[in-house]
Amino acid sequence: MALSPTIKLNNGVEIPIIGLGTWQSKPEEVIIAVEYAIKEAGYRHIDCAWAYGNEKEVGEGIRRSGVPRSEIFVTSKLWATRLNDVEGALDESLANLGLDYLDLYLIHWPIHLNPKGNHPNFPTLPNGHRDVVRDWPLRDTWAQLEAVLAKGKVRAIGVSNASERILEEEILPYAKVVPAVDQIELHLYNPQHKFIRYLKSKGIVPQAYSPLGSTGASLLQDEVAVAIAEKHGVAPAAVLLGWQVAKGIVTLPKSVTPERIKANIEGALAAAKKLTAEDIEKLDGVAATGKEVRLIQPPWGVDLGFDNWPVKYQTL
Ligand SMILES: NC(=O)c1ccc[n+]([C@@H]2O[C@H](COP(=O)([O-])OP(=O)(O)OC[C@H]3O[C@@H](n4cnc5c(N)ncnc54)[C@H](OP(=O)(O)O)[C@@H]3O)[C@@H](O)[C@H]2O)c1
């Protein structure tokens, strides 16, 4: 059983380059998925979040795997209604997971939702728009993350869904600790090449979410990915994931299906070695052939500063 190789974060902590995603994994399924991923498939990195509502079961899966805690890299994320209460929210995630530290803690979205609103996760205004605290200084949340890092409750801190503008204007000028990662939507149809170069220039490791196209894994049908997969005798999923691994991007495929969990890690590691420079160039160019799309678009009604971010409001 091959273990995922690791890369070094800017504070020296090693992160396995392939992690198991857990968004939309049902609680009863995620226990088995996490146990299987660690025990049978060689995963050593689990990507969680308080907002996924399944941290207790993820923790149970980790314990059932029998692999020592120190060998597993666990990430969780601070939800948007808790930007004013980092340590309280972190303590809840730790209690849910049954852990006494996290390897990585991320600001899930650079948006503060009203903590006293009409819903614990997605408060809305009477007109149905999201109830966003528009003048919240993100730097205060970052300072609170630096404090839990200093206390040893987490080994690294980072951001998610933070654009270059957010990093440049709201975090980096005030940060004592540079974010270790930025977890963003990254895949064949949303490769964000320019932003990846920016992150790497700052020493921030990019993490790819929705690498297969999110719910239903729509990118597996892409003709370029399929052709390259056929050429190398691997699965399209292996090409999509191996392409990211070959480029030093941490990738987070989600599955609750044991065969896919195993095939994704084994295929990605094999494909990362087989893909040629020409294959990588072809895959890099797919989005620009009119296929670019952003799949995850919560209707915050706020301009997050990404090139293709829709600002429009929608009601829930
Ligand atoms: N920070 C953020 O805001 C954010 C946002 C989105 C996601 N994420 C993280 O990134 C992870 C991955 O993203 P995602 O869940 O959106 O999507 P994804 O990993 O791109 O795709 C998941 C879908 O692909 C299916 N699948 C997985 N492997 C497959 C295979 N080999 N063949 C066919 N289908 C396959 C899964 O089905 P089954 O499970 O039924 O097998 C599921 O429907 C999340 O779980 C989460 O941890 C973070």
Side-chain angles (χ1 to χ4, degrees):
M1 186 171 71
L3 296 184
S4 158
T6 59
I7 54 178
K8 239 190 231 311
L9 299 175
N10 58 17
N11 64 355
V13 168
E14 302 267 348
I15 184 168
I17 199 157
I18 300 174
L20 181 73
T22 61
W23 178 43
Q24 304 189 111
S25 300
K26 294 195 184 85
E28 65 280 9
E29 291 174 337
V30 84
I31 300 181
I32 296 159
V34 168
E35 177 186 4
Y36 178 86
I38 299 171
K39 197 155 82 179
E40 309 290 344
Y43 287 75
R44 290 294 180 270
H45 173 179
I46 312 292
D47 184 73
C48 322
W50 179 87
Y52 300 164
N54 57 11
E55 283 181 320
K56 283 192 178 136
E57 292 78 11
V58 169
E60 181 60 22
I62 292 173
R63 281 185 294 283
R64 286 194 196 174
S65 77
V67 170
R69 163 70 182 100
S70 59
E71 293 176 20
I72 303 168
F73 191 100
V74 183
T75 301
S76 189
K77 310 185 192 91
L78 173 73
W79 185 241
T81 46
R82 306 298 291 274
L83 260 54
N84 57 337
D85 177 27
V86 172
E87 190 162 9
L90 170 63
D91 286 345
E92 265 179 41
S93 281
L94 289 172
N96 283 341
L97 289 158
L99 301 177
D100 53 14
Y101 70 93
L102 289 178
D103 295 279
L104 180 63
Y105 198 39
L106 308 179
I107 300 177
H108 202 147
W109 288 90
I111 296 280
H112 190 26
L113 293 176
N114 186 357
K116 297 192 176 121
N118 65 357
H119 189 276
N121 295 25
F122 295 108
T124 50
L125 297 168
N127 64 6
H129 294 169
R130 296 281 167 91
D131 189 354
V132 176
V133 183
R134 286 176 188 275
D135 55 356
W136 176 257
L138 207 52
R139 60 180 180 272
D140 284 10
T141 302
W142 190 252
Q144 291 183 40
L145 277 160
E146 290 174 332
V148 293
L149 178 71
K151 276 190 174 179
K153 287 186 163 189
V154 298
R155 295 174 69 224
I157 53 176
V159 290
S160 179
N161 299 297
S163 63
E164 179 171 340
R165 178 174 65 68
I166 299 251
L167 286 162
E168 284 293 314
E169 292 177 9
E170 301 193 40
I171 296 186
L172 293 178
Y174 311 98
K176 294 193 201 95
V177 175
V178 173
V181 313
D182 192 355
Q183 184 178 127
I184 50 178
E185 180 178 323
L186 274 186
H187 49 69
L188 197 63
Y189 292 174
N190 193 37
Q192 307 198 55
H193 299 305
K194 189 165 147 271
F195 187 42
I196 298 295
R197 282 196 295 278
Y198 165 80
L199 290 175
K200 290 195 169 178
S201 77
K202 297 286 170 187
I204 301 171
V205 168
Q207 289 189 312
Y209 74 63
S210 307
L212 302 173
S214 202
T215 318
S218 55
L219 301 177
L220 298 181
Q221 272 83 48
D222 178 82
E223 58 191 11
V224 176
V226 167
I228 293 176
E230 279 170 3
K231 183 177 81 171
H232 292 297
V234 299
V239 168
L240 296 175
L241 301 172
W243 166 61
Q244 296 187 320
V245 169
K247 286 154 57 103
I249 294 171
V250 174
T251 188
L252 304 168
K254 171 264 179 185
S255 178
V256 290
T257 315
E259 311 84 69
R260 292 174 174 175
I261 291 173
K262 196 174 173 64
N264 286 347
I265 192 168
E266 288 179 353
L269 296 179
K273 293 196 185 117
K274 288 183 178 178
L275 292 174
T276 63
E278 194 196 337
D279 295 331
I280 290 179
E281 206 183 309
K282 259 194 206 153
L283 293 162
D284 280 348
V286 168
T289 61
K291 291 181 174 173
E292 182 171 332
V293 65
R294 180 174 281 278
L295 300 167
I296 307 293
Q297 317 183 347
W300 305 121
V302 172
D303 179 5
L304 287 188
F306 287 106
D307 289 345
N308 54 4
W309 183 261
V311 183
K312 65 180 185 299
Y313 278 110
Q314 292 158 2
T315 48
L316 278 174

